Amino acid sequence: MKREKPFKSITALIEILRGRMLDLDDESGAEKFLYDFNYYRFTGYARQWQQNPAHGVDQFQDGTTFSDILDVIERDSRMRRILSDGLRTIELSVRARFAHELGDTHGETAFYLDPDSYLPIMPRMDEFLEGLERDLRRSECASLKWTHLERF
């Protein structure tokens, strides 16, 4: 089933929002936001201010402003950045500790090239290891070339 969505200009999208009784308290800001970030991204956040969007009642609740919705979008963006920064730190720490423990357990061997180092549930193990070796051979990093290609 092919569904067609005709193109609408930013001006037409603004008119749709206005027709749904959204208070465009900053129309030029709304135009810029829709151009830069997308109408559908905006309306995804805006649903909580609509009267009953699940049943096709897309009118906004009385007093809803574009800025109300934009404030939530900006808060969500800030929260994502904060979480991303924290998760990046945790990820790096876990990876470093994992690599340290594997090095302590396996010593100087290239255990990651040994199929017995993986659980037997790994699909297409041969392809995976061939790709890993190919990536190591392609590497421009001198220490990787020495470590993996000359020593092992």
Side-chain angles (χ1 to χ4, degrees), residues 9 13 16 18 24 38 52 57 62 68 76-77 82 86-87 89 98-100 109 113 116 127-128 132 134 137 140 143:
S9 67
L13 296 171
I16 290 170
R18 183 178 283 117
L24 296 165
N38 188 290
N52 195 348
V57 182
D62 289 341
D68 292 334
D76 182 55
S77 180
I82 290 167
L87 290 173
T89 300
F98 187 68
H100 178 81
T109 64
L113 295 176
D116 293 332
E127 292 176 31
F128 170 75
L132 185 56
R134 186 174 47 252
R137 281 192 300 277
E140 297 297 321
S143 65

Side-chain angles (χ1 to χ4, degrees), residues 33 37 41 45 48-49 66-84:
F33 180 86
F37 293 97
R41 176 176 166 79
Y45 283 93
Q48 65 182 322
W49 282 275
F66 179 84
S67 295
D68 292 334
I69 301 166
L70 186 58
D71 182 56
V72 169
I73 293 170
E74 289 171 347
R75 287 174 191 247
D76 182 55
S77 180
R78 283 193 302 273
M79 182 182 70
R80 287 173 192 255
R81 282 192 303 272
I82 290 167
L83 288 173
S84 181

